[in-house]
Amino acid sequence: MAWTDPCSERNGAFVRVDDFDMYYEVVGEGPPLLLLNGGFGMTSSVDVALDAFGRHFRVHAIDARGHGKSGFGEGPVTYAREAADAVGFMNALGIPAMHVFGHSDGGCAALHLLFDYPHRVLSATLSGTPYNRGSYDAAADAMTRELPRLIAQGKEDPMGLSRILLGLGMPADKLARLGAALQRAWATTPNISTEMMGAIDRPVLVLEAHRDEYIALEKMRDMTRAIPGARGYDLPETTHNFRPQAEEIGRAMADFVASLERA
């Protein structure tokens, strides 16, 4: 089904990755940065972040399998598969390794990149990343189970997310399919332990958002402590939506990368 995106004037492109066509956009100049969106996210919903990060990096923003303008291919949508798709994207563009910014579900995919493809990761910045379902409080746990179910059934959700995505041009049948895919994925994952994170050996910056509605600050700090050599970046006013602080986050990532080059 055709896609129209009235909210974005950017020029994007498609590249074949595994068994689907992946949509991506490239913005800015500098070190290569791969932007991995959260669940139900897409490039057209993070324009402000692309502009902010593009002041410091050559940003490659992708629509994950089944998200935004990208196709589904066959089989499930999982974090491990999204990590493999990210590597497939790098292969298709001939990029040996990239810095990675992963938000929410994208952060979970970034963790799998760090575990399974560390040689393709120059550094990783984790934003609003629920590394384990125990990261959620009771309300957030219920939301992650109810939201994709309602979207899969074509019903209005309390967050108004389906209305927003339909307004951005996502076809209703594709949105319902994505809801079903994420209902399956979110039922049991993420399931990464702090012990597992002790094996990560790449530079990691953890954004410690004080006002995240779904993940307690202490859980983010647990992640910073668990990953060897990880640095935390304090964001007192940031909620799960990182976009209002995108300029500050872009500068923080640029400073982090610059410190790695000086080391």
Side-chain angles (χ1 to χ4, degrees):
M1 186 174 293
W3 175 286
T4 57
D5 182 3
C7 300
S8 175
E9 297 178 354
R10 299 182 185 279
N11 293 319
F14 289 87
V15 64
R16 190 70 179 176
V17 172
D18 190 22
D19 61 350
F20 74 103
D21 292 326
M22 175 181 281
Y23 178 78
Y24 71 99
E25 297 178 8
V26 181
V27 178
E29 295 297 333
L33 176 71
L34 181 63
L35 195 157
L36 303 176
N37 282 311
F40 294 106
M42 63 184 78
T43 55
S44 59
S45 66
V46 290
D47 272 2
V48 65
L50 298 188
D51 290 336
F53 296 174
R55 302 190 216 292
H56 310 279
F57 299 91
R58 185 163 180 78
V59 184
H60 298 69
I62 64 175
D63 283 354
R65 180 184 292 267
H67 291 66
K69 301 178 186 179
S70 288
F72 268 96
E74 299 296 329
V77 174
T78 68
Y79 299 130
R81 203 170 189 206
E82 287 183 5
D85 291 339
V87 171
F89 172 76
M90 293 186 217
N91 290 342
L93 269 65
I95 303 174
M98 303 181 77
H99 300 283
V100 178
F101 174 88
H103 175 67
S104 197
D105 274 22
C108 298
L111 284 171
H112 281 274
L113 278 170
L114 289 164
F115 288 131
D116 298 333
Y117 308 95
H119 58 297
R120 308 304 295 269
V121 180
L122 298 173
S123 75
T125 297
L126 304 177
S127 166
T129 300
Y131 61 89
N132 190 286
R133 287 205 61 84
S135 302
Y136 300 129
D137 62 18
D141 180 76
M143 182 278 297
T144 61
R145 299 180 189 281
E146 186 70 359
L147 176 67
R149 183 186 67 80
L150 291 173
I151 291 177
Q153 295 175 354
K155 297 179 179 178
E156 182 70 19
D157 62 275
M159 296 172 63
L161 182 60
S162 58
R163 176 172 39 81
I164 292 170
L165 295 174
L166 291 170
L168 285 171
M170 194 167 186
D173 56 345
K174 181 177 181 181
L175 180 57
R177 182 178 176 185
L178 180 58
L182 292 185
Q183 182 181 9
R184 180 183 185 277
W186 290 1
T188 57
T189 58
N191 55 10
I192 295 167
S193 67
T194 53
E195 290 77 15
M196 290 170 64
M197 288 189 286
I200 293 173
D201 63 357
R202 305 303 294 153
V204 174
L205 180 67
V206 179
L207 302 183
E208 299 178 350
H210 289 218
R211 298 175 58 196
D212 194 299
E213 306 93 322
Y214 310 116
I215 307 165
L217 175 61
E218 193 58 27
K219 293 295 184 180
M220 299 180 199
R221 290 179 170 166
D222 284 346
M223 188 159 53
T224 304
R225 288 187 287 261
I227 298 173
R231 300 182 203 175
Y233 186 81
D234 208 40
L235 288 165
E237 300 303 318
T238 302
T239 65
H240 196 68
N241 176 13
F242 71 94
R243 286 172 292 175
Q245 282 75 45
E247 291 283 356
E248 179 181 358
I249 292 169
R251 290 192 298 270
M253 284 196 294
D255 290 344
F256 178 59
V257 169
S259 73
L260 299 175
E261 294 172 352
R262 292 192 298 267

